[in-house]
Coordinates of all heavy atoms in Angstrom, one line a residue:
V1 N 0.8 -1.2 0.0 CA 0.0 0.0 0.0 C 0.9 1.3 0.0 O 0.3 2.3 0.0 CB -1.0 0.0 1.1 CG1 -2.0 -1.1 1.0 CG2 -0.3 0.0 2.5
G2 N 2.2 1.1 0.0 CA 3.0 2.3 -0.1 C 3.3 3.0 1.2 O 3.7 4.2 1.1
T3 N 3.1 2.5 2.3 CA 3.3 3.1 3.6 C 4.0 2.2 4.5 O 3.9 1.0 4.4 CB 2.0 3.6 4.2 OG1 2.3 4.3 5.4 CG2 1.0 2.5 4.6
D4 N 4.8 2.8 5.5 CA 5.4 1.9 6.5 C 4.6 1.5 7.6 O 4.9 0.5 8.3 CB 6.7 2.7 7.0 CG 7.8 2.8 6.0 OD1 7.8 2.0 5.0 OD2 8.5 3.8 6.0
Y5 N 3.5 2.3 7.9 CA 2.6 2.0 9.1 C 1.2 2.0 8.7 O 0.8 2.8 7.8 CB 2.9 3.1 10.2 CG 4.3 3.0 10.7 CD1 5.3 3.9 10.2 CD2 4.7 2.1 11.7 CE1 6.6 3.8 10.7 CE2 6.0 2.1 12.2 CZ 6.9 3.0 11.6 OH 8.2 2.9 12.1
L6 N 0.4 1.1 9.3 CA -1.0 1.1 9.0 C -1.8 1.2 10.3 O -1.4 0.6 11.4 CB -1.4 -0.3 8.4 CG -0.8 -0.6 6.9 CD1 -1.2 -1.9 6.6 CD2 -1.3 0.5 6.0
E7 N -2.8 1.9 10.3 CA -3.7 1.9 11.5 C -4.6 0.8 11.4 O -5.2 0.6 10.3 CB -4.5 3.3 11.6 CG -3.6 4.4 12.0 CD -4.4 5.7 12.2 OE1 -5.5 5.6 12.8 OE2 -3.9 6.8 11.9
V8 N -4.8 0.0 12.4 CA -5.8 -1.1 12.4 C -6.7 -1.0 13.6 O -6.4 -0.4 14.6 CB -5.0 -2.5 12.5 CG1 -4.0 -2.6 11.3 CG2 -4.1 -2.5 13.7
A9 N -7.9 -1.6 13.4 CA -8.9 -1.6 14.4 C -8.5 -2.6 15.5 O -8.8 -2.4 16.7 CB -10.2 -1.9 13.8
R10 N -7.9 -3.7 15.1 CA -7.4 -4.7 16.2 C -6.3 -5.5 15.5 O -6.2 -5.6 14.2 CB -8.6 -5.6 16.6 CG -9.1 -6.4 15.4 CD -10.2 -7.3 16.0 NE -10.8 -8.1 14.8 CZ -11.6 -9.1 15.0 NH1 -11.8 -9.5 16.1 NH2 -12.1 -9.7 13.9
L11 N -5.5 -6.0 16.3 CA -4.4 -6.9 15.8 C -4.9 -8.2 15.3 O -5.9 -8.8 15.9 CB -3.3 -7.0 16.9 CG -2.6 -5.8 17.3 CD1 -1.7 -6.1 18.5 CD2 -1.8 -5.1 16.2
P12 N -4.2 -8.8 14.3 CA -4.7 -10.1 13.9 C -4.4 -11.2 14.9 O -3.5 -11.2 15.6 CB -3.9 -10.3 12.5 CG -2.7 -9.5 12.8 CD -3.1 -8.3 13.6
R13 N -5.3 -12.2 14.8 CA -5.0 -13.4 15.6 C -4.2 -14.3 14.7 O -4.6 -14.6 13.6 CB -6.3 -14.1 16.0 CG -7.1 -13.4 17.0 CD -7.8 -14.1 18.1 NE -7.0 -15.1 18.7 CZ -7.4 -16.3 19.0 NH1 -8.7 -16.7 18.7 NH2 -6.7 -17.2 19.6
I14 N -3.0 -14.7 15.2 CA -2.0 -15.4 14.3 C -1.8 -16.8 14.9 O -1.6 -17.0 16.0 CB -0.7 -14.7 14.2 CG1 -0.9 -13.3 13.7 CG2 0.3 -15.4 13.4 CD1 0.4 -12.3 13.8
M15 N -1.9 -17.8 14.0 CA -1.6 -19.2 14.3 C -0.2 -19.5 13.6 O -0.1 -19.3 12.4 CB -2.6 -20.2 13.8 CG -2.2 -21.6 14.0 SD -3.3 -22.8 13.2 CE -4.7 -22.9 14.3
L16 N 0.7 -19.9 14.5 CA 2.0 -20.4 13.9 C 2.0 -21.9 14.0 O 1.9 -22.4 15.1 CB 3.1 -19.8 14.7 CG 4.5 -20.2 14.4 CD1 4.9 -20.1 13.0 CD2 5.5 -19.5 15.3
L17 N 2.0 -22.5 12.9 CA 1.9 -24.0 12.9 C 3.2 -24.6 12.3 O 3.6 -24.4 11.2 CB 0.8 -24.4 12.0 CG 0.5 -25.8 11.8 CD1 0.2 -26.5 13.1 CD2 -0.6 -26.0 10.8
T18 N 3.9 -25.4 13.2 CA 5.1 -26.1 12.8 C 4.7 -27.6 12.5 O 3.7 -28.0 13.1 CB 6.2 -26.1 13.8 OG1 5.7 -26.6 15.0 CG2 6.7 -24.7 14.0
T19 N 5.3 -28.2 11.6 CA 4.9 -29.6 11.3 C 6.2 -30.5 11.1 O 7.3 -30.0 11.0 CB 4.2 -29.6 9.9 OG1 5.0 -29.1 8.9 CG2 2.9 -28.7 10.0
G20 N 6.0 -31.8 11.3 CA 7.0 -32.8 11.0 C 7.3 -33.6 12.2 O 7.5 -33.1 13.3
D21 N 7.3 -34.9 11.9 CA 7.8 -35.9 13.0 C 9.2 -35.6 13.4 O 9.5 -35.9 14.6 CB 7.6 -37.3 12.5 CG 6.2 -37.8 12.2 OD1 5.3 -37.2 12.8 OD2 6.0 -38.8 11.6
E22 N 10.0 -35.2 12.6 CA 11.4 -35.0 12.9 C 11.7 -33.7 13.7 O 12.8 -33.5 14.1 CB 12.3 -35.0 11.5 CG 12.1 -33.8 10.7 CD 10.9 -33.8 9.8 OE1 10.0 -34.6 10.0 OE2 10.9 -33.0 8.8
V23 N 10.7 -32.9 13.9 CA 10.9 -31.7 14.7 C 10.5 -31.8 16.1 O 9.4 -32.3 16.4 CB 10.0 -30.5 14.0 CG1 10.2 -29.2 14.8 CG2 10.4 -30.3 12.6
V24 N 11.4 -31.6 17.0 CA 11.1 -31.8 18.4 C 11.2 -30.5 19.2 O 12.0 -29.6 18.8 CB 12.0 -32.9 19.1 CG1 11.7 -34.3 18.4 CG2 13.4 -32.6 19.0
A25 N 10.6 -30.4 20.3 CA 10.6 -29.2 21.2 C 12.1 -29.0 21.8 O 12.8 -30.0 21.9 CB 9.6 -29.4 22.4
T26 N 12.4 -27.8 22.2 CA 13.7 -27.5 22.7 C 14.1 -28.3 23.8 O 15.3 -28.6 24.1 CB 13.9 -26.1 23.0 OG1 12.8 -25.6 23.9 CG2 13.8 -25.2 21.7
G27 N 13.2 -28.8 24.7 CA 13.5 -29.5 26.0 C 13.7 -31.0 25.7 O 14.0 -31.7 26.7
V28 N 13.6 -31.4 24.5 CA 13.6 -32.9 24.1 C 15.0 -33.1 23.5 O 15.4 -32.4 22.6 CB 12.5 -33.3 23.3 CG1 12.6 -34.7 22.8 CG2 11.1 -33.0 23.9
S29 N 15.6 -34.2 23.8 CA 16.9 -34.6 23.2 C 16.5 -35.3 21.9 O 15.8 -36.4 21.9 CB 17.6 -35.6 24.1 OG 18.1 -34.9 25.2
P30 N 16.9 -34.7 20.7 CA 16.6 -35.3 19.5 C 17.4 -36.6 19.2 O 18.5 -36.8 19.6 CB 16.9 -34.2 18.5 CG 18.0 -33.4 19.1 CD 17.6 -33.5 20.6
R31 N 16.6 -37.5 18.5 CA 17.3 -38.7 18.0 C 18.1 -38.3 16.7 O 18.0 -37.1 16.3 CB 16.2 -39.8 17.8 CG 15.5 -40.2 19.0 CD 14.6 -41.5 18.7 NE 13.7 -41.2 17.5 CZ 12.5 -40.9 17.6 NH1 11.9 -40.5 18.7 NH2 11.8 -40.7 16.5
E32 N 18.7 -39.2 16.2 CA 19.6 -38.9 15.0 C 18.8 -38.3 13.8 O 19.3 -37.4 13.2 CB 20.3 -40.2 14.5 CG 21.3 -40.0 13.4 CD 22.0 -41.2 13.0 OE1 22.3 -42.1 13.9 OE2 22.3 -41.3 11.8
E33 N 17.6 -38.8 13.6 CA 16.8 -38.3 12.5 C 15.9 -37.1 12.8 O 15.1 -36.6 12.0 CB 15.9 -39.4 12.0 CG 14.7 -39.8 12.9 CD 15.0 -40.7 14.0 OE1 16.2 -41.1 14.2 OE2 14.0 -41.1 14.7
Q34 N 16.1 -36.5 14.0 CA 15.3 -35.4 14.5 C 16.1 -34.1 14.6 O 17.4 -34.1 14.7 CB 14.7 -35.7 15.8 CG 13.6 -36.8 15.7 CD 13.0 -37.1 17.0 OE1 13.7 -37.2 18.0 NE2 11.7 -37.3 17.1
I35 N 15.5 -32.9 14.6 CA 16.0 -31.7 14.8 C 15.2 -30.9 15.8 O 14.0 -31.2 16.0 CB 16.2 -30.9 13.5 CG1 14.8 -30.6 12.9 CG2 17.1 -31.5 12.5 CD1 14.8 -29.6 11.8
R36 N 15.8 -29.9 16.4 CA 15.0 -29.1 17.4 C 14.1 -28.0 16.6 O 14.5 -27.7 15.5 CB 16.0 -28.3 18.3 CG 16.8 -29.2 19.2 CD 17.5 -28.4 20.2 NE 18.5 -29.2 20.8 CZ 18.3 -30.2 21.8 NH1 17.0 -30.3 22.2 NH2 19.2 -30.8 22.4
S37 N 13.1 -27.7 17.2 CA 12.1 -26.8 16.6 C 12.6 -25.3 16.8 O 12.2 -24.6 17.6 CB 10.8 -26.9 17.3 OG 9.9 -26.1 16.7
S38 N 13.5 -25.0 15.9 CA 14.1 -23.6 16.0 C 13.3 -22.5 15.1 O 13.3 -21.4 15.5 CB 15.6 -23.5 15.5 OG 15.6 -24.1 14.3
N39 N 12.8 -23.0 14.0 CA 12.0 -22.1 13.2 C 10.8 -21.4 13.9 O 10.6 -20.2 13.8 CB 11.5 -22.8 11.9 CG 12.5 -23.0 10.9 OD1 13.6 -22.6 11.1 ND2 12.2 -23.7 9.9
G40 N 10.0 -22.2 14.6 CA 8.9 -21.6 15.4 C 9.3 -20.6 16.3 O 8.6 -19.6 16.5
I41 N 10.4 -20.9 17.1 CA 10.8 -19.9 18.1 C 11.3 -18.6 17.4 O 11.0 -17.5 17.9 CB 12.0 -20.5 19.0 CG1 11.4 -21.7 19.8 CG2 12.7 -19.5 19.8 CD1 12.5 -22.5 20.4
M42 N 12.1 -18.8 16.3 CA 12.5 -17.6 15.6 C 11.4 -16.7 15.1 O 11.3 -15.5 15.3 CB 13.4 -18.0 14.5 CG 13.9 -16.8 13.6 SD 14.6 -17.3 12.0 CE 13.1 -18.0 11.2
I43 N 10.4 -17.3 14.5 CA 9.2 -16.6 13.9 C 8.4 -16.0 15.0 O 8.1 -14.8 14.8 CB 8.4 -17.6 13.1 CG1 9.1 -18.0 11.9 CG2 7.1 -16.8 12.7 CD1 8.4 -19.1 11.0
E44 N 8.2 -16.7 16.1 CA 7.5 -16.1 17.3 C 8.2 -14.9 17.8 O 7.6 -13.8 18.1 CB 7.3 -17.1 18.3 CG 6.4 -16.6 19.5 CD 6.0 -17.6 20.5 OE1 6.7 -18.7 20.5 OE2 5.1 -17.3 21.3
T45 N 9.6 -14.9 17.9 CA 10.4 -13.9 18.4 C 10.3 -12.7 17.5 O 10.1 -11.5 17.9 CB 11.9 -14.3 18.6 OG1 11.9 -15.4 19.5 CG2 12.7 -13.1 19.0
L46 N 10.3 -12.9 16.2 CA 10.2 -11.8 15.2 C 8.8 -11.1 15.3 O 8.7 -9.9 15.2 CB 10.5 -12.3 13.8 CG 11.9 -12.7 13.5 CD1 12.0 -13.4 12.1 CD2 12.8 -11.4 13.5
L47 N 7.8 -11.9 15.4 CA 6.4 -11.3 15.6 C 6.4 -10.5 16.9 O 5.8 -9.4 16.9 CB 5.4 -12.4 15.7 CG 5.1 -13.2 14.4 CD1 4.2 -14.4 14.6 CD2 4.4 -12.2 13.4
N48 N 7.0 -11.0 18.0 CA 7.0 -10.2 19.2 C 7.7 -8.9 19.1 O 7.3 -7.9 19.6 CB 7.5 -11.1 20.3 CG 6.7 -12.2 20.8 OD1 5.4 -12.3 20.5 ND2 7.2 -13.2 21.3
K49 N 8.8 -8.9 18.4 CA 9.6 -7.7 18.1 C 8.7 -6.6 17.3 O 8.9 -5.4 17.5 CB 10.8 -7.9 17.4 CG 11.9 -8.6 18.2 CD 13.2 -8.8 17.5 CE 13.9 -7.5 17.4 NZ 15.2 -7.6 16.9
S50 N 7.7 -7.1 16.6 CA 6.8 -6.2 15.9 C 5.5 -6.0 16.7 O 4.5 -5.5 16.1 CB 6.5 -6.8 14.5 OG 7.6 -7.0 13.8
R51 N 5.5 -6.3 18.0 CA 4.4 -6.2 18.9 C 3.2 -7.0 18.5 O 2.0 -6.6 18.7 CB 4.0 -4.7 19.0 CG 5.1 -3.9 19.6 CD 4.7 -2.5 19.9 NE 5.8 -1.9 20.5 CZ 6.1 -0.6 20.4 NH1 5.4 0.2 19.6 NH2 7.2 0.0 20.9
L52 N 3.4 -8.1 17.9 CA 2.4 -9.1 17.5 C 2.7 -10.4 18.3 O 3.8 -10.7 18.7 CB 2.5 -9.4 16.0 CG 2.2 -8.3 15.0 CD1 2.5 -8.7 13.6 CD2 0.8 -7.8 15.2
S53 N 1.6 -11.1 18.5 CA 1.7 -12.3 19.2 C 1.0 -13.4 18.4 O 0.3 -13.2 17.5 CB 1.0 -12.2 20.6 OG -0.4 -12.1 20.4
C54 N 1.4 -14.6 18.8 CA 0.8 -15.8 18.0 C 0.6 -16.9 19.0 O 1.1 -17.0 20.1 CB 1.7 -16.3 16.9 SG 3.3 -16.9 17.5
D55 N -0.3 -17.9 18.5 CA -0.5 -19.1 19.2 C 0.2 -20.1 18.5 O 0.0 -20.2 17.2 CB -2.0 -19.5 19.3 CG -2.8 -18.5 20.2 OD1 -2.3 -17.9 21.1 OD2 -4.0 -18.3 19.8
R56 N 1.1 -20.8 19.1 CA 2.1 -21.7 18.4 C 1.6 -23.1 18.6 O 1.3 -23.5 19.7 CB 3.5 -21.6 18.9 CG 4.5 -22.4 18.0 CD 5.9 -21.9 18.1 NE 6.3 -21.5 19.5 CZ 7.4 -21.9 20.1 NH1 8.2 -22.7 19.4 NH2 7.8 -21.4 21.2
F57 N 1.5 -23.9 17.5 CA 1.0 -25.3 17.6 C 2.0 -26.2 16.7 O 2.7 -25.6 15.8 CB -0.4 -25.5 17.0 CG -1.5 -24.7 17.6 CD1 -1.8 -23.5 17.2 CD2 -2.0 -25.1 18.8 CE1 -2.8 -22.7 17.8 CE2 -3.1 -24.4 19.5 CZ -3.4 -23.2 19.0
H58 N 2.1 -27.5 17.0 CA 2.9 -28.4 16.3 C 2.1 -29.6 15.9 O 1.3 -30.1 16.7 CB 4.1 -28.8 17.1 CG 4.9 -29.8 16.3 ND1 5.9 -29.3 15.3 CD2 5.0 -31.1 16.3 CE1 6.4 -30.4 14.8 NE2 6.0 -31.4 15.4
C59 N 2.1 -30.0 14.6 CA 1.5 -31.2 14.2 C 2.5 -32.1 13.6 O 3.4 -31.7 12.8 CB 0.5 -30.9 13.0 SG -1.1 -30.4 13.6
E60 N 2.5 -33.4 14.1 CA 3.3 -34.4 13.5 C 2.8 -34.7 12.1 O 1.8 -34.2 11.7 CB 3.4 -35.6 14.4 CG 4.0 -35.3 15.7 CD 4.1 -36.5 16.7 OE1 3.5 -37.5 16.3 OE2 4.8 -36.4 17.7
D61 N 3.5 -35.6 11.4 CA 3.0 -35.9 10.0 C 1.8 -36.8 10.1 O 1.9 -38.0 9.9 CB 4.2 -36.6 9.3 CG 5.4 -35.7 9.1 OD1 5.1 -34.5 8.9 OD2 6.5 -36.2 9.1
N62 N 0.7 -36.3 10.3 CA -0.6 -36.9 10.4 C -1.6 -36.1 9.8 O -2.0 -35.0 10.3 CB -0.9 -37.1 11.9 CG -2.2 -37.8 12.2 OD1 -3.2 -37.4 11.7 ND2 -2.2 -38.9 12.9
R63 N -2.2 -36.6 8.6 CA -3.2 -35.8 7.8 C -4.4 -35.4 8.6 O -4.8 -34.2 8.5 CB -3.5 -36.6 6.6 CG -4.4 -35.8 5.7 CD -4.8 -36.7 4.4 NE -5.6 -36.0 3.6 CZ -5.2 -35.2 2.5 NH1 -3.9 -35.1 2.2 NH2 -6.0 -34.6 1.7
A64 N -4.9 -36.2 9.3 CA -6.1 -35.9 10.2 C -5.9 -34.9 11.2 O -6.7 -33.9 11.3 CB -6.7 -37.2 10.8
A65 N -4.8 -35.0 11.9 CA -4.5 -34.0 12.9 C -4.2 -32.6 12.2 O -4.6 -31.5 12.7 CB -3.3 -34.4 13.7
L66 N -3.6 -32.6 11.1 CA -3.3 -31.3 10.4 C -4.6 -30.7 9.9 O -4.8 -29.5 10.0 CB -2.4 -31.6 9.2 CG -2.0 -30.3 8.4 CD1 -1.3 -29.3 9.2 CD2 -1.0 -30.8 7.3
C67 N -5.5 -31.5 9.3 CA -6.8 -31.0 8.9 C -7.6 -30.4 10.0 O -8.2 -29.3 9.8 CB -7.6 -32.1 8.1 SG -6.9 -32.6 6.5
E68 N -7.5 -31.0 11.2 CA -8.3 -30.6 12.3 C -7.7 -29.2 12.8 O -8.5 -28.3 13.0 CB -8.2 -31.6 13.5 CG -8.9 -31.1 14.7 CD -8.9 -32.2 15.8 OE1 -8.9 -33.4 15.5 OE2 -8.8 -31.8 17.0
R69 N -6.4 -29.1 12.8 CA -5.8 -27.8 13.2 C -6.1 -26.7 12.2 O -6.3 -25.5 12.6 CB -4.3 -28.0 13.3 CG -3.5 -26.8 13.9 CD -4.0 -26.4 15.2 NE -3.7 -27.4 16.2 CZ -4.1 -27.5 17.4 NH1 -5.0 -26.6 17.8 NH2 -3.8 -28.4 18.2
L70 N -6.1 -27.1 10.9 CA -6.5 -26.0 9.9 C -8.0 -25.6 10.0 O -8.4 -24.5 9.7 CB -6.2 -26.6 8.4 CG -4.7 -26.8 8.2 CD1 -4.5 -27.4 6.8 CD2 -4.0 -25.5 8.3
E71 N -8.9 -26.5 10.4 CA -10.2 -26.1 10.8 C -10.3 -25.2 11.9 O -11.1 -24.2 11.9 CB -11.1 -27.4 11.0 CG -11.4 -28.2 9.8 CD -12.2 -29.5 10.2 OE1 -12.7 -29.5 11.2 OE2 -12.2 -30.4 9.3
D72 N -9.4 -25.4 12.9 CA -9.3 -24.4 14.0 C -9.0 -23.0 13.5 O -9.5 -22.0 13.9 CB -8.4 -24.9 15.1 CG -8.8 -26.1 15.8 OD1 -10.0 -26.4 15.8 OD2 -7.9 -26.8 16.4
F73 N -8.0 -23.0 12.6 CA -7.5 -21.8 12.0 C -8.6 -21.1 11.3 O -8.8 -19.9 11.6 CB -6.4 -22.0 11.0 CG -6.1 -20.9 10.2 CD1 -5.6 -19.7 10.6 CD2 -6.5 -20.9 8.8 CE1 -5.3 -18.6 9.8 CE2 -6.4 -19.8 8.0 CZ -5.8 -18.6 8.5
Q74 N -9.4 -21.7 10.5 CA -10.5 -21.1 9.8 C -11.6 -20.5 10.7 O -12.1 -19.5 10.4 CB -11.2 -22.1 8.8 CG -10.3 -22.5 7.7 CD -11.0 -23.5 6.8 OE1 -11.8 -24.2 7.3 NE2 -10.5 -23.6 5.5
K75 N -11.8 -21.1 11.9 CA -12.8 -20.6 12.8 C -12.2 -19.4 13.7 O -13.0 -18.5 14.0 CB -13.2 -21.7 13.8 CG -14.0 -22.8 13.2 CD -14.5 -23.8 14.1 CE -13.4 -24.6 14.6 NZ -13.8 -25.7 15.4
D76 N -11.0 -19.4 14.1 CA -10.5 -18.5 15.1 C -9.3 -17.6 14.8 O -9.0 -16.7 15.6 CB -10.0 -19.4 16.3 CG -11.1 -20.3 16.9 OD1 -12.3 -19.8 16.9 OD2 -10.8 -21.4 17.2
Y77 N -8.7 -17.7 13.6 CA -7.6 -16.9 13.3 C -7.7 -16.1 12.0 O -8.5 -16.4 11.1 CB -6.3 -17.8 13.2 CG -6.0 -18.4 14.5 CD1 -6.6 -19.7 14.9 CD2 -5.2 -17.8 15.5 CE1 -6.3 -20.2 16.1 CE2 -4.9 -18.4 16.7 CZ -5.5 -19.5 17.0 OH -5.3 -20.2 18.2
H78 N -6.9 -15.1 11.9 CA -6.8 -14.2 10.7 C -5.7 -14.6 9.8 O -5.7 -14.3 8.6 CB -6.7 -12.7 11.1 CG -7.8 -12.3 12.0 ND1 -7.6 -12.0 13.3 CD2 -9.2 -12.1 11.8 CE1 -8.7 -11.6 13.9 NE2 -9.7 -11.7 13.0
L79 N -4.6 -15.0 10.4 CA -3.3 -15.3 9.6 C -2.7 -16.6 10.1 O -2.7 -16.9 11.3 CB -2.4 -14.1 9.9 CG -0.9 -14.2 9.4 CD1 -1.0 -14.1 7.9 CD2 -0.1 -13.0 9.9
L80 N -2.3 -17.4 9.1 CA -1.6 -18.6 9.4 C -0.2 -18.5 8.8 O 0.0 -18.2 7.7 CB -2.4 -19.7 8.6 CG -1.7 -21.1 8.6 CD1 -1.6 -21.7 10.0 CD2 -2.5 -22.1 7.8
I81 N 0.7 -18.9 9.7 CA 2.1 -19.0 9.3 C 2.6 -20.4 9.5 O 2.4 -21.0 10.6 CB 3.0 -18.0 10.1 CG1 2.6 -16.6 9.9 CG2 4.5 -18.2 9.7 CD1 3.3 -15.6 10.8
T82 N 3.1 -21.1 8.5 CA 3.5 -22.5 8.6 C 5.0 -22.6 8.3 O 5.5 -21.8 7.5 CB 2.8 -23.4 7.6 OG1 3.0 -23.0 6.3 CG2 1.2 -23.3 7.9
T83 N 5.6 -23.6 9.0 CA 7.0 -24.0 8.7 C 7.1 -25.4 9.0 O 6.5 -25.9 10.0 CB 8.0 -23.1 9.6 OG1 9.3 -23.6 9.2 CG2 7.8 -23.3 11.0
G84 N 7.7 -26.2 8.1 CA 7.7 -27.6 8.2 C 9.1 -28.1 8.5 O 10.1 -27.4 8.7
G85 N 9.2 -29.4 8.5 CA 10.5 -30.1 8.8 C 11.4 -29.9 7.6 O 11.2 -29.2 6.7
V86 N 12.6 -30.7 7.7 CA 13.6 -30.5 6.7 C 13.9 -31.9 6.0 O 15.0 -32.1 5.8 CB 14.8 -29.9 7.4 CG1 14.6 -28.5 7.8 CG2 15.3 -30.8 8.5
S87 N 12.9 -32.7 5.7 CA 13.1 -33.9 5.1 C 14.1 -34.8 5.8 O 14.9 -35.4 5.2 CB 13.5 -33.7 3.6 OG 12.6 -33.0 2.9
Q88 N 14.0 -34.9 7.1 CA 14.8 -35.8 7.9 C 14.0 -36.9 8.5 O 14.6 -37.9 9.0 CB 15.5 -35.0 9.1 CG 16.4 -33.9 8.6 CD 17.7 -34.5 8.0 OE1 18.1 -35.6 8.5 NE2 18.3 -33.8 7.1
G89 N 12.8 -36.9 8.4 CA 11.9 -37.9 9.0 C 11.8 -39.1 8.2 O 12.2 -39.2 7.1
E90 N 11.3 -40.3 8.8 CA 11.3 -41.6 8.1 C 10.3 -41.5 7.0 O 10.4 -42.3 6.1 CB 10.9 -42.6 9.2 CG 11.9 -42.9 10.2 CD 11.4 -43.8 11.3 OE1 10.3 -44.3 11.2 OE2 12.1 -44.0 12.3
K91 N 9.3 -40.6 7.0 CA 8.3 -40.6 6.0 C 8.6 -39.6 4.8 O 7.9 -39.5 3.9 CB 6.9 -40.1 6.5 CG 6.4 -41.1 7.5 CD 5.1 -40.7 8.2 CE 4.6 -41.6 9.2 NZ 3.5 -41.1 9.9
D92 N 9.7 -38.9 4.9 CA 10.2 -37.9 3.8 C 11.0 -38.7 2.8 O 11.6 -39.6 2.9 CB 11.0 -36.9 4.5 CG 10.2 -36.0 5.4 OD1 9.0 -35.7 5.1 OD2 10.7 -35.6 6.4

Protein backbone atom coordinates (compact mmCIF):
# COMPACT_ATOMS: atom_id res chain seq x y z
CA VAL A 1 0.00 0.00 0.00
CA GLY A 2 3.02 2.29 -0.09
CA THR A 3 3.31 3.11 3.59
CA ASP A 4 5.44 1.91 6.49
CA TYR A 5 2.66 2.00 9.10
CA LEU A 6 -1.01 1.10 9.00
CA GLU A 7 -3.69 1.94 11.50
CA VAL A 8 -5.72 -1.10 12.41
CA ALA A 9 -8.88 -1.59 14.42
CA ARG A 10 -7.45 -4.68 16.10
CA LEU A 11 -4.38 -6.85 15.81
CA PRO A 12 -4.72 -10.09 13.86
CA ARG A 13 -5.03 -13.42 15.62
CA ILE A 14 -2.06 -15.38 14.32
CA MET A 15 -1.59 -19.15 14.29
CA LEU A 16 1.99 -20.36 13.93
CA LEU A 17 1.95 -24.00 12.87
CA THR A 18 5.10 -26.12 12.76
CA THR A 19 4.96 -29.58 11.26
CA GLY A 20 6.98 -32.75 11.00
CA ASP A 21 7.74 -35.89 12.97
CA GLU A 22 11.42 -34.96 12.86
CA VAL A 23 10.88 -31.63 14.65
CA VAL A 24 11.08 -31.81 18.46
CA ALA A 25 10.64 -29.24 21.21
CA THR A 26 13.71 -27.54 22.67
CA GLY A 27 13.49 -29.49 25.93
CA VAL A 28 13.63 -32.86 24.16
CA SER A 29 16.86 -34.60 23.20
CA PRO A 30 16.56 -35.27 19.46
CA ARG A 31 17.29 -38.68 18.01
CA GLU A 32 19.61 -38.93 15.00
CA GLU A 33 16.78 -38.30 12.50
CA GLN A 34 15.32 -35.35 14.46
CA ILE A 35 16.05 -31.65 14.81
CA ARG A 36 15.06 -29.05 17.36
CA SER A 37 12.13 -26.77 16.63
CA SER A 38 14.09 -23.58 15.99
CA ASN A 39 11.98 -22.05 13.18
CA GLY A 40 8.90 -21.66 15.37
CA ILE A 41 10.86 -19.91 18.12
CA MET A 42 12.52 -17.59 15.60
CA ILE A 43 9.24 -16.63 13.91
CA GLU A 44 7.49 -16.06 17.23
CA THR A 45 10.37 -13.85 18.39
CA LEU A 46 10.21 -11.78 15.19
CA LEU A 47 6.46 -11.34 15.61
CA ASN A 48 6.95 -10.25 19.23
CA LYS A 49 9.53 -7.66 18.14
CA SER A 50 6.79 -6.24 15.90
CA ARG A 51 4.40 -6.17 18.86
CA LEU A 52 2.42 -9.10 17.50
CA SER A 53 1.70 -12.36 19.23
CA CYS A 54 0.78 -15.80 18.01
CA ASP A 55 -0.53 -19.09 19.23
CA ARG A 56 2.03 -21.75 18.38
CA PHE A 57 1.03 -25.32 17.56
CA HIS A 58 2.88 -28.37 16.28
CA CYS A 59 1.49 -31.20 14.16
CA GLU A 60 3.34 -34.39 13.48
CA ASP A 61 3.05 -35.94 10.03
CA ASN A 62 -0.59 -36.91 10.44
CA ARG A 63 -3.11 -35.78 7.84
CA ALA A 64 -6.17 -35.95 10.13
CA ALA A 65 -4.48 -33.92 12.89
CA LEU A 66 -3.30 -31.33 10.37
CA CYS A 67 -6.79 -31.00 8.85
CA GLU A 68 -8.26 -30.56 12.33
CA ARG A 69 -5.76 -27.81 13.17
CA LEU A 70 -6.52 -26.05 9.87
CA GLU A 71 -10.23 -26.15 10.72
CA ASP A 72 -9.37 -24.42 14.03
CA PHE A 73 -7.51 -21.79 12.02
CA GLN A 74 -10.51 -21.09 9.80
CA LYS A 75 -12.73 -20.57 12.84
CA ASP A 76 -10.48 -18.56 15.13
CA TYR A 77 -7.58 -16.89 13.30
CA HIS A 78 -6.85 -14.22 10.70
CA LEU A 79 -3.33 -15.24 9.66
CA LEU A 80 -1.64 -18.62 9.33
CA ILE A 81 2.15 -18.99 9.28
CA THR A 82 3.50 -22.47 8.62
CA THR A 83 6.95 -23.95 8.71
CA GLY A 84 7.75 -27.60 8.17
CA GLY A 85 10.48 -30.08 8.80
CA VAL A 86 13.59 -30.54 6.71
CA SER A 87 13.08 -33.94 5.09
CA GLN A 88 14.81 -35.76 7.91
CA GLY A 89 11.90 -37.91 9.06
CA GLU A 90 11.28 -41.55 8.15
CA LYS A 91 8.28 -40.58 5.94
CA ASP A 92 10.16 -37.96 3.87
